[in-house]
Amino acid sequence: MPIVKPAPAEQFDDMGQQRRAVLMGMWVFLVTELLLFGGGFAMFAMYRVQHPQVFAEAAGHLSLPLATANTVLLLTSGLTMALAEQAVEAGSRRLTLVFYLATMALGLGFLGVKGYEWYQEWQAQLMPLPGLVFAWPGNESQQAELFFNLYFILTGLHALHMVIGLGLLGVMVVLVQRWRDPHRLTRQTQVSGLYWAFVDVIWLFLFTTLYLLGP
Amino acid sequence: MTAEVHKHYLSGGWSLHSWLLTTDHKRICWLYLVSITGFFFLGGIAALLIRLELMTPPGDFLTAEGYNETFSLHGIVMVWFFLIPSIPATLGNFLMPMMVGARDLAFPRLNLLSWYIYTLGGIFTIVMVIGGGVDTGWTFYTPYSSLFSSSAVIAAVAGVFIVGFSSILTGINFIVTTHTMRAPGMHWLRLPLFVWANYATSLILVLATPVLSVTLLLIAAERLLGIGIFDPSLGGDPLLFQHLFWFYSHPAVYIMILPAMGVVSELITCFSKNRIFGYKGMVLAIMAISLFGFVVWGHHMFTSGQSLYAGILFSFFSFLVAVPSAVKTLNWTATLYRGRITFTAPMIYGLSFLGLFAIGGLTGIFLAALALDVHLHDTYFITAHFHYIMVGGAVTAYLGGLHFWWPKMTGRLYSELWSKIAALALFIGFNLTFFPQFLLGYSGMPRRYHEYPEAFQLLHVMSSLGSVVLAIGYLLPLVYFTWSLFRGAPAGANPWQAEGLEWRTASPPPKHNFVSIPRVTEGPYAYR
Ligand SMILES: [Cu+2]
């Protein structure tokens, strides 16, 4: 079978221009994502300054071991993702698949641990949802509720991004399954890699602001 | 020759399929034009209802609640669904690729997607606002929108949230197109000011919209899940909502006015047949406005109990924005000097813009002054001020741009006489409507009331009568543009003898804009 040279989409002059445009588009998109979380972080910071004591106390009720485990899982997935990119460069289809699947497994592991952590908080009556009892053992119960509201919204938003990232990885796995020429995949690989790295970075911010700034 | 005529972008057919699934930026411009015009007239009807109620001092035509719902509808539709997308999504969509010398935007499918998001989200929001009786005003201030509202706020906020994504997609598309799709020889400092203006606007769209998104998300969570984010009884802070809201919504003013400034730069140069005065200064001013726009949001909260020191800083920065704005106004005026001026309809719109924007901008300086703002806050002075910027500025430039590029978009001319009458009706009607509101506000008439003391009636009646003239100014183009679409004389490639890449190709342009990608050898506005 003759190898057909990949053609750019009709608005581009060549593949190089298309790749530059797509990567830049992804970067700009990630900036918007960063600002989406940025608004949430700004709000959290404001409230933390207004209610320093109870926020620190509430942070102490989060599970640092589980969050640390999750940080390890996610950082490792960042490594496997980078390795997948290298495997595409090297043209090894089997290795690429292995690394993508490993990344997915680590991502699912993260969501599992996160879900268990939420379950624990629900058990401890720290989930301020309508119909649930919010039982705060200390003073300033309402301000503690504010903390947990923001905690669930921010981690929930991050988990949603993880799910989207996993979907993206699923697409990549399908693409790798039917790959013919690895060079056709570099653009998609880089885009999904950028997204995954972004989700990683946001988690690091969440980990430091929510868990590590405790008492 | 006939073969050439049949190859333009509209000759691909008129089937529904050829429109709804198109990825051609020029056709998507038309999709946007249809949606935006629909939203504009809906918001306009609400405005006329408001003016009708205000003809007489007692509240006899609308109830207080009905009035709140009407001005909420007017504000929500006009700000979120008309002004913010207006120039970038229509003229920008059509012209950005042509002006940089590209075949299309970088992401044509995203472009189509953004139209779908915008139109469906807009219709959804409006149905919810009307059906659900939303009465929060366009700002959705907490606790009006959270604790004290029984209306469909969640749905309306969700709609605005969704439409935000269409802004973001357009912004990404324009930024990437400007960076990566320029024709050979098209350096950054050879870009027309319209491109610069839309580029700066896109930066704001991309940087500010997500902050609005997360804020709206939190209001929805607050109402839907019943959890407190801005609820003071939980130690939350309603003022924080205002901070986050205006962090987006002040820059949003520049989302509306920067593209208008871009349009006006093209109009003034073409119809005075002069190079723009101080091109680099204009570029710098555009970028400075978009930058300063991010640090002035607190001027909306001088009377909301923010700290005095914050107030002083925000006041200072607000004064600072006036500098690049004045640079632009003076440069346009200097461009007219010794030009060969022709008073075509687009030029009348352009000159109207200069006058109206100057008044809107100068009254903005009044409002940026801390002490004076205490007196003028939440009065009709504010209403008049921002209408001078957004309607007198942005809408006038939008219409001017539409008249300027209409021959390019359709290949046809429109009635010269009627278009001049429409442009004059707009200028006269606008001033008659909104100038009395400065006087009303200064003498103490507050915003958002459906009744008022008898002493204010004369000015209110003037304003209401003016709004009728203004409405005529808006309706006329609809008539003669429609006529032109079917009966207008052929325009030819360059009916205005204008400079710019878009005028060097046929009208209407071929599918990929240029028969062959142009090579750029000089800067913009190479007149005479
Ligand atoms: Cu402002």
Short mmCIF file of all heavy atoms in Angstrom, two decimals, chain B residues 150-185:
data_model
loop_
_atom_site.label_atom_id
_atom_site.label_comp_id
_atom_site.label_asym_id
_atom_site.label_seq_id
_atom_site.Cartn_x
_atom_site.Cartn_y
_atom_site.Cartn_z
N SER B 150 -37.64 34.37 43.54
CA SER B 150 -38.46 33.17 43.38
C SER B 150 -38.55 32.81 41.91
O SER B 150 -39.31 31.96 41.52
CB SER B 150 -39.85 33.44 43.93
OG SER B 150 -40.34 34.63 43.38
N SER B 151 -37.75 33.47 41.07
CA SER B 151 -37.91 33.27 39.63
C SER B 151 -36.87 32.28 39.10
O SER B 151 -36.06 31.74 39.85
CB SER B 151 -37.79 34.61 38.92
OG SER B 151 -36.54 35.18 39.20
N ALA B 152 -36.91 32.05 37.80
CA ALA B 152 -36.07 31.02 37.17
C ALA B 152 -34.64 31.50 37.01
O ALA B 152 -34.09 31.47 35.91
CB ALA B 152 -36.67 30.63 35.83
N VAL B 153 -34.00 31.93 38.11
CA VAL B 153 -32.65 32.47 38.00
C VAL B 153 -31.65 31.40 37.57
O VAL B 153 -30.77 31.67 36.75
CB VAL B 153 -32.21 33.11 39.33
CG1 VAL B 153 -30.77 33.57 39.24
CG2 VAL B 153 -33.10 34.27 39.67
N ILE B 154 -31.81 30.19 38.11
CA ILE B 154 -30.82 29.15 37.78
C ILE B 154 -30.76 28.93 36.28
O ILE B 154 -29.68 28.90 35.69
CB ILE B 154 -31.20 27.80 38.43
CG1 ILE B 154 -31.26 27.95 39.94
CG2 ILE B 154 -30.20 26.72 38.05
CD1 ILE B 154 -31.66 26.67 40.62
N ALA B 155 -31.95 28.79 35.68
CA ALA B 155 -31.98 28.51 34.24
C ALA B 155 -31.37 29.67 33.46
O ALA B 155 -30.59 29.45 32.53
CB ALA B 155 -33.41 28.26 33.80
N ALA B 156 -31.72 30.90 33.85
CA ALA B 156 -31.20 32.06 33.12
C ALA B 156 -29.68 32.13 33.26
O ALA B 156 -28.96 32.35 32.28
CB ALA B 156 -31.85 33.34 33.64
N VAL B 157 -29.19 31.92 34.50
CA VAL B 157 -27.75 31.97 34.73
C VAL B 157 -27.05 30.85 33.96
O VAL B 157 -25.99 31.06 33.36
CB VAL B 157 -27.48 31.86 36.24
CG1 VAL B 157 -26.06 31.46 36.52
CG2 VAL B 157 -27.80 33.17 36.93
N ALA B 158 -27.68 29.67 33.93
CA ALA B 158 -27.10 28.56 33.19
C ALA B 158 -26.99 28.92 31.71
O ALA B 158 -25.99 28.62 31.06
CB ALA B 158 -27.94 27.30 33.36
N GLY B 159 -28.02 29.62 31.19
CA GLY B 159 -27.99 30.01 29.78
C GLY B 159 -26.84 30.96 29.50
O GLY B 159 -26.09 30.78 28.53
N VAL B 160 -26.67 31.96 30.36
CA VAL B 160 -25.58 32.92 30.16
C VAL B 160 -24.22 32.21 30.28
O VAL B 160 -23.29 32.48 29.52
CB VAL B 160 -25.69 34.08 31.18
CG1 VAL B 160 -24.49 34.99 31.09
CG2 VAL B 160 -26.96 34.87 30.93
N PHE B 161 -24.14 31.27 31.22
CA PHE B 161 -22.93 30.47 31.40
C PHE B 161 -22.57 29.74 30.11
O PHE B 161 -21.43 29.76 29.65
CB PHE B 161 -23.17 29.48 32.55
CG PHE B 161 -22.09 28.46 32.76
CD1 PHE B 161 -20.95 28.79 33.48
CD2 PHE B 161 -22.22 27.17 32.27
CE1 PHE B 161 -19.96 27.86 33.69
CE2 PHE B 161 -21.22 26.23 32.48
CZ PHE B 161 -20.09 26.57 33.19
N ILE B 162 -23.59 29.11 29.51
CA ILE B 162 -23.35 28.34 28.28
C ILE B 162 -22.90 29.27 27.15
O ILE B 162 -21.95 28.98 26.43
CB ILE B 162 -24.64 27.58 27.89
CG1 ILE B 162 -24.90 26.47 28.90
CG2 ILE B 162 -24.52 27.01 26.49
CD1 ILE B 162 -26.26 25.86 28.77
N VAL B 163 -23.58 30.41 27.03
CA VAL B 163 -23.22 31.34 25.95
C VAL B 163 -21.78 31.84 26.12
O VAL B 163 -21.10 32.13 25.15
CB VAL B 163 -24.24 32.50 25.88
CG1 VAL B 163 -23.79 33.57 24.93
CG2 VAL B 163 -25.59 31.96 25.44
N GLY B 164 -21.32 31.89 27.38
CA GLY B 164 -19.93 32.27 27.63
C GLY B 164 -18.95 31.41 26.86
O GLY B 164 -17.91 31.90 26.39
N PHE B 165 -19.27 30.12 26.69
CA PHE B 165 -18.36 29.25 25.94
C PHE B 165 -18.23 29.68 24.49
O PHE B 165 -17.18 29.52 23.88
CB PHE B 165 -18.82 27.79 26.02
CG PHE B 165 -18.50 27.17 27.34
CD1 PHE B 165 -19.48 27.04 28.31
CD2 PHE B 165 -17.22 26.77 27.64
CE1 PHE B 165 -19.19 26.49 29.55
CE2 PHE B 165 -16.92 26.23 28.87
CZ PHE B 165 -17.90 26.08 29.83
N SER B 166 -19.32 30.21 23.94
CA SER B 166 -19.21 30.66 22.54
C SER B 166 -18.26 31.85 22.45
O SER B 166 -17.48 31.96 21.51
CB SER B 166 -20.59 30.95 21.97
OG SER B 166 -20.87 32.31 21.98
N SER B 167 -18.30 32.74 23.47
CA SER B 167 -17.33 33.84 23.50
C SER B 167 -15.92 33.30 23.55
O SER B 167 -15.02 33.77 22.84
CB SER B 167 -17.51 34.71 24.74
OG SER B 167 -18.71 35.38 24.74
N ILE B 168 -15.70 32.32 24.43
CA ILE B 168 -14.35 31.78 24.60
C ILE B 168 -13.86 31.16 23.29
O ILE B 168 -12.72 31.39 22.87
CB ILE B 168 -14.34 30.75 25.74
CG1 ILE B 168 -14.54 31.46 27.08
CG2 ILE B 168 -13.04 29.95 25.74
CD1 ILE B 168 -14.59 30.54 28.26
N LEU B 169 -14.74 30.42 22.62
CA LEU B 169 -14.33 29.77 21.37
C LEU B 169 -13.98 30.81 20.31
O LEU B 169 -12.97 30.68 19.60
CB LEU B 169 -15.44 28.85 20.86
CG LEU B 169 -15.68 27.59 21.70
CD1 LEU B 169 -16.80 26.77 21.10
CD2 LEU B 169 -14.41 26.76 21.78
N THR B 170 -14.81 31.85 20.20
CA THR B 170 -14.50 32.91 19.24
C THR B 170 -13.17 33.55 19.58
O THR B 170 -12.34 33.81 18.70
CB THR B 170 -15.61 33.98 19.24
OG1 THR B 170 -16.86 33.33 19.01
CG2 THR B 170 -15.38 35.02 18.19
N GLY B 171 -12.95 33.81 20.88
CA GLY B 171 -11.70 34.44 21.31
C GLY B 171 -10.50 33.60 20.92
O GLY B 171 -9.52 34.09 20.35
N ILE B 172 -10.56 32.30 21.22
CA ILE B 172 -9.44 31.41 20.90
C ILE B 172 -9.18 31.43 19.39
O ILE B 172 -8.05 31.55 18.92
CB ILE B 172 -9.74 29.97 21.37
CG1 ILE B 172 -9.80 29.91 22.89
CG2 ILE B 172 -8.69 29.00 20.84
CD1 ILE B 172 -10.17 28.54 23.42
N ASN B 173 -10.27 31.35 18.63
CA ASN B 173 -10.16 31.32 17.17
C ASN B 173 -9.47 32.57 16.63
O ASN B 173 -8.57 32.49 15.78
CB ASN B 173 -11.57 31.21 16.58
CG ASN B 173 -11.67 30.11 15.55
OD1 ASN B 173 -10.66 29.75 14.94
ND2 ASN B 173 -12.84 29.58 15.36
N PHE B 174 -9.87 33.74 17.12
CA PHE B 174 -9.28 34.98 16.62
C PHE B 174 -7.81 35.09 17.02
O PHE B 174 -6.97 35.52 16.23
CB PHE B 174 -10.05 36.19 17.16
CG PHE B 174 -11.35 36.45 16.45
CD1 PHE B 174 -11.84 35.58 15.49
CD2 PHE B 174 -12.10 37.58 16.75
CE1 PHE B 174 -13.04 35.82 14.84
CE2 PHE B 174 -13.31 37.84 16.10
CZ PHE B 174 -13.78 36.95 15.15
N ILE B 175 -7.50 34.72 18.27
CA ILE B 175 -6.11 34.84 18.72
C ILE B 175 -5.21 33.96 17.88
O ILE B 175 -4.18 34.40 17.35
CB ILE B 175 -6.00 34.47 20.21
CG1 ILE B 175 -6.69 35.52 21.08
CG2 ILE B 175 -4.54 34.33 20.63
CD1 ILE B 175 -6.74 35.17 22.54
N VAL B 176 -5.63 32.69 17.73
CA VAL B 176 -4.78 31.76 16.98
C VAL B 176 -4.68 32.18 15.52
O VAL B 176 -3.61 32.11 14.91
CB VAL B 176 -5.31 30.32 17.12
CG1 VAL B 176 -4.52 29.37 16.24
CG2 VAL B 176 -5.25 29.88 18.57
N THR B 177 -5.78 32.65 14.95
CA THR B 177 -5.75 33.09 13.55
C THR B 177 -4.78 34.25 13.36
O THR B 177 -3.97 34.26 12.43
CB THR B 177 -7.16 33.51 13.09
OG1 THR B 177 -8.04 32.41 13.28
CG2 THR B 177 -7.16 33.91 11.63
N THR B 178 -4.84 35.23 14.27
CA THR B 178 -3.94 36.37 14.13
C THR B 178 -2.49 35.95 14.28
O THR B 178 -1.61 36.47 13.61
CB THR B 178 -4.28 37.45 15.18
OG1 THR B 178 -5.68 37.58 15.26
CG2 THR B 178 -3.66 38.77 14.83
N HIS B 179 -2.24 34.98 15.17
CA HIS B 179 -0.85 34.58 15.38
C HIS B 179 -0.31 33.70 14.26
O HIS B 179 0.84 33.84 13.87
CB HIS B 179 -0.73 33.81 16.70
CG HIS B 179 -0.50 34.70 17.88
ND1 HIS B 179 0.76 35.04 18.32
CD2 HIS B 179 -1.37 35.32 18.71
CE1 HIS B 179 0.64 35.84 19.37
NE2 HIS B 179 -0.64 36.03 19.62
N THR B 180 -1.13 32.79 13.75
CA THR B 180 -0.55 31.76 12.89
C THR B 180 -0.99 31.81 11.42
O THR B 180 -0.43 31.10 10.60
CB THR B 180 -0.88 30.35 13.41
OG1 THR B 180 -2.30 30.18 13.39
CG2 THR B 180 -0.37 30.14 14.82
N MET B 181 -1.99 32.64 11.08
CA MET B 181 -2.54 32.53 9.73
C MET B 181 -2.26 33.76 8.86
O MET B 181 -2.89 33.93 7.82
CB MET B 181 -4.06 32.33 9.79
CG MET B 181 -4.54 31.27 10.75
SD MET B 181 -4.43 29.63 10.06
CE MET B 181 -5.80 29.64 8.93
N ARG B 182 -1.36 34.63 9.28
CA ARG B 182 -1.14 35.85 8.50
C ARG B 182 -0.46 35.53 7.16
O ARG B 182 0.39 34.64 7.08
CB ARG B 182 -0.29 36.82 9.31
CG ARG B 182 -1.10 37.56 10.37
CD ARG B 182 -0.23 38.34 11.32
NE ARG B 182 0.49 37.44 12.22
CZ ARG B 182 1.79 37.45 12.39
NH1 ARG B 182 2.54 38.33 11.76
NH2 ARG B 182 2.35 36.59 13.21
N ALA B 183 -0.85 36.27 6.12
CA ALA B 183 -0.30 36.05 4.78
C ALA B 183 1.18 36.46 4.78
O ALA B 183 1.62 37.22 5.64
CB ALA B 183 -1.08 36.88 3.76
N PRO B 184 1.93 35.98 3.78
CA PRO B 184 3.34 36.38 3.70
C PRO B 184 3.46 37.90 3.64
O PRO B 184 2.73 38.55 2.89
CB PRO B 184 3.82 35.76 2.38
CG PRO B 184 2.78 34.80 1.96
CD PRO B 184 1.55 35.04 2.75
N GLY B 185 4.36 38.45 4.46
CA GLY B 185 4.56 39.90 4.45
C GLY B 185 3.66 40.65 5.41
O GLY B 185 3.83 41.85 5.61
#
